[in-house]
Structure formats: C-alpha cells, structure tokens
C-alpha cells in the first residue's frame, strides 16, 4: 500500500520534517512545485529545481513520487493567463508543457495527475470553463471531454510507463460530479484513451464523511479497471485563535481517517492513501480558511502523532 503525503521542498532541510517524512511515508507528491507558476515561470523556460529536490529526497529514501499536476485552471503564470493566445497557440503551449515536464521526470514520477479539477463546482456534471477549454481553449470547446483526452494522449507519449490519473475535488461520493467523471472514464477505457486511475482529493470539512457513499464510489471506479488513489486527504477542524482544536474533535477526526483508510483498503484497486501534508505546522487549511480551521493532519505542529495517526496506523495494520 502506498502511503503518501504532499511535500514542500523548502521544508526538506528541517530535521524533524525530513525525519518524520522518511520514517512514515513511502510516497511523496510535490504540493506546489510542479504547478505551472513554479515549473513554467516564463514561456520559454522551465524551473525543475524545486521538483528535483523532492525527487532526490524520494530516491534517497526509497519513496515513489506522484506528479501533481500537468493541467489545472489555478496557479498559472501571468504570461499564460494574460497572453491572449489563439487556440492553436494554446494547444502548442500545452502540448509542449506536458511533454517537457512529464519527459523531464520520465522514469522518476510513477503516476501523474494529468488533469486536476476539470469539472465545475456549481453546475453539477458540467466541465468547468477554463483557459484550456474555452478561453479560447485548445480548440475543442463544445466537444465534451476531448481536450482532456488530448492531454492524456500527450502525457502518454511523453512517458509511456507512467500511470495517468484524473484528479478531482468533491467527487468522492456518489454525486453528479462523480457520475460525470465515471461516464468519461468509462468512455476513455472503451476507446483506449490512456487513463490508469482516478484521484479523489478527500479534503474533508465539517467533520463529516459519507463513508458508505465513498465506498460505493470507489467500488464502481475500480470495477472499470482503473486504480483509485486518495490523493489529498485532510480533515479540517475548527480552531481557536491560537490554532488549537477541541480535544473531542481530534477523536472524531481520527475516526474519519480510519474509516476512509478502511474503505480504501477494502478495495484491491484502491492502491494509495495520501494526506495533503503531514504536520499541522505546514498545511494549506489555515490560510485557505482565514485561520478559522486547521489541525487537519496526522501530526501536530511539533511533529507529535495525533489520534488520527494512531487510527491510520491501526487501519493499515488490519490490512485488506
Ligand atoms: C494548494 C496548496 O496546498 C497550497 O500551498 C497552494 O497555495 C494552493 O493549492 N486542491 C489541489 C491542490 O489539487 O493543488 C491544492 O493545493 C489544494 C486543493
């Protein structure tokens, strides 16, 4: 079983960070280092240094690396968003980006989030409007998931061995978004579009997870023959102005981690559980919630294991 976490290259030189990471995980994923704004800061230049630091750490510690993410609508550089490119220029830029980045990490990154969050939040089951799809898009607007298909084919050309994933938020349960993704993945599999897996982010808020529905959803995707990875799990808790959660919430949080891990482990096709960071010292939840939420990860700010860590450990020891 792959147990992964998102990592930040700047923290790798911090002894407690590196020690915890190397001890408890066998997979890492760059949290931001492979997003366009970091890896492709100018049209003609790529910056692989932060990503390479993570890959080096992983290879020294015998860990696998997941890549995140070749195509997204966020954290894009202004040369791209303000470039007023035509459809054919955008297609050329995107193909070059995918082939350069996936090519650089060929043999080093075993699985890629090719596309992240392509489905809309507000219109269930509809593709989101993004620069890639329709502003002006890579020339396939109005043709459903064709632009996504094209990206998977480019990624496969760049690294035929890498497992290619579609990653999504809010599609963990049976719902209109996961229904649409299911239909897309089934179609891709039937037509031989190279897709190997689906990532469910699993950012959990309000201490609520519909585990029965999550389990049914994992079941239907793995039945299509694709793998499922839990890619970005965290369980945000309400925190006081000092960042401290209520003790009873830590217990409920542990239950949710255990239930999700158990749901994954009960499906042979669910092959990875990854958290979005591992220490509460470094988590996107604080800034994302204006510091009203936090304490979302298995280790506290001092790298002490929380009840969530023990719960995950027990679920993993119980095995499949
Ligand atoms: C977040 C990172 O954790 C932050 O450091 C960054 O400022 C914003 O993005 N879904 C995703 C991730 O797929 O890439 C996001 O990561 C969190 C939500």
């Amino acid at each position: 079983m792959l147990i992964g976490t998102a990592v930040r290259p700047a923290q790798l030189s911090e002894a407690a960070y590196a020690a915890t990471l190397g001890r408890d995980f066998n997979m890492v994923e760059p949290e931001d280092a492979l997003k366009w704004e970091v890896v492709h800061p100018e049209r003609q230049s790529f910056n692989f240094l932060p990503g390479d630091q993570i890959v080096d750490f992983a290879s020294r510690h015998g860990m696998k690396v997941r890549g995140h993410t070749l195509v997204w609508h966020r954290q894009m550089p202004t040369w791209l968003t303000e470039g007023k490119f035509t459809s054919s220029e955008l297609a050329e830029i995107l193909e070059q980006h995918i082939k350069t980045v996936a090519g650089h990490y060929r043999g080093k990154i075993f699985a890629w989030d090719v596309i992240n969050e392509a489905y809309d939040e507000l219109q269930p089951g509809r593709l989101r409007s993004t620069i890639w799809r329709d502003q002006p898009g890579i020339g396939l607007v109005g043709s459903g998931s064709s632009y996504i298909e094209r990206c998977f084919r480019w990624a496969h050309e760049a690294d035929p061995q890498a497992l290619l994933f579609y990653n999504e938020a809010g599609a963990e349960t049976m719902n209109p978004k996961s229904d649409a993704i299911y239909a897309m993945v089934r179609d891709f599999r039937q037509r031989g579009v190279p897709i190997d897996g689906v990532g469910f982010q699993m950012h959990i808020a309000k201490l609520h997870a519909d585990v029965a529905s999550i389990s049914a959803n994992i079941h239907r995707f793995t039945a299509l023959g694709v793998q499922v990875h839990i890619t970005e799990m965290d369980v945000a808790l309400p925190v006081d102005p000092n960042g401290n959660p209520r003790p009873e919430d830590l217990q409920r949080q542990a239950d949710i981690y255990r239930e999700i891990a158990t749901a994954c482990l009960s499906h042979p096709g669910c092959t990875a559980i990854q958290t979005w960071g591992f220490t509460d010292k470094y988590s996107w939840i604080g800034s994302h919630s204006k510091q009203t939420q936090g304490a979302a990860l298995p280790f506290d700010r001092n790298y002490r294991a929380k009840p969530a860590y023990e719960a995950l450990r027990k679920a993993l020891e119980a095995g499949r």
Side-chain angles (χ1 to χ4, degrees):
M1 190 72 186
L2 293 168
I3 308 299
T5 178
V7 296
R8 302 181 175 184
Q11 263 55 65
L12 291 172
S13 53
E14 189 183 328
Y17 186 96
T20 308
L21 182 59
R23 184 190 64 221
D24 275 305
F25 297 90
N26 59 11
M27 176 171 81
V28 288
E29 173 164 311
E31 181 168 348
D32 293 297
L34 295 180
K35 292 173 180 172
W36 279 69
E37 67 177 9
V38 181
V39 80
H40 200 165
E42 309 287 343
R43 183 167 179 186
Q44 301 304 345
S45 77
F46 289 84
N47 174 17
F48 290 117
L49 293 176
D52 289 354
Q53 277 182 269
I54 294 171
V55 169
D56 288 348
F57 183 94
S59 80
R60 281 187 277 114
H61 292 83
M63 305 163 111
K64 291 206 174 198
V65 186
R66 272 192 109 257
H68 176 79
T69 168
L70 294 170
V71 185
W72 196 24
H73 61 285
R74 304 188 66 173
Q75 291 181 265
M76 302 212 282
T78 48
W79 69 261
L80 176 62
T81 52
E82 283 163 27
K84 302 210 167 28
F85 296 110
T86 64
S87 290
S88 61
E89 286 168 332
L90 273 182
E92 197 186 309
I93 289 167
L94 184 56
E95 177 177 2
Q96 188 217 20
H97 177 90
I98 290 175
K99 291 190 173 171
T100 305
V101 178
H104 178 85
Y105 290 109
R106 191 184 305 128
K108 296 179 175 160
I109 285 188
F110 85 107
W112 271 105
D113 288 337
V114 178
I115 311 264
N116 193 30
E117 302 179 349
Y119 281 87
D120 202 74
E121 245 95 85
L122 304 173
Q123 304 179 68
R126 295 276 195 84
L127 285 168
R128 166 199 306 279
S129 159
T130 75
I131 190 173
W132 302 121
R133 184 175 165 272
D134 59 7
Q135 296 172 3
I138 63 171
L140 298 165
V141 63
S143 50
S145 55
S146 307
Y147 92 94
I148 299 177
E149 170 174 347
R150 228 171 153 189
C151 295
F152 274 89
R153 292 190 187 281
W154 285 330
H156 185 65
E157 280 177 49
D159 186 353
Q161 304 299 323
L163 298 174
L164 304 182
F165 278 70
Y166 177 81
N167 195 51
E168 188 57 270
E172 293 81 4
T173 59
M174 305 286 276
N175 64 34
K177 201 191 250 190
S178 64
D179 288 349
I181 296 166
Y182 179 81
M184 174 181 77
V185 174
R186 189 179 51 191
D187 168 54
F188 282 6
R189 296 290 289 184
Q190 279 167 355
R191 291 189 299 105
V193 179
I195 184 166
D196 303 287
V198 173
F200 295 127
Q201 293 186 3
M202 209 66 76
H203 293 290
I204 294 177
K206 300 190 182 123
L207 279 174
H208 171 76
D210 184 347
V211 180
S213 183
I214 290 169
S215 196
N217 197 38
I218 293 174
H219 182 79
R220 69 169 168 169
F221 276 93
T222 55
L224 287 177
V226 294
Q227 297 185 36
V228 166
H229 285 177
I230 309 293
T231 52
E232 306 186 12
M233 184 162 179
D234 49 22
V235 180
L237 302 181
V239 289
D240 68 21
N242 298 319
N244 295 317
R246 291 186 294 253
E248 63 268 31
D249 287 350
L250 289 173
Q251 205 46 61
R252 178 72 197 117
Q253 177 184 57
D255 293 342
I256 292 175
Y257 270 102
R258 194 193 61 248
E259 287 163 12
I260 298 294
T262 302
C264 178
L265 286 159
S266 68
H267 298 95
C270 188
T271 50
I273 302 173
Q274 179 166 262
T275 55
W276 204 239
F278 54 97
T279 166
D280 292 336
K281 190 171 181 183
Y282 306 113
S283 159
W284 76 304
I285 295 293
S287 56
H288 183 67
S289 69
K290 300 199 169 69
Q291 314 305 328
T292 61
Q293 307 259 311
L297 293 165
F299 293 90
D300 73 10
R301 282 169 294 183
N302 299 310
Y303 298 95
R304 277 188 303 247
K306 293 160 63 182
Y309 173 86
E310 304 301 342
L312 270 176
R313 199 181 178 97
K314 277 199 191 111
L316 291 164
E317 279 165 6
R320 292 203 189 268

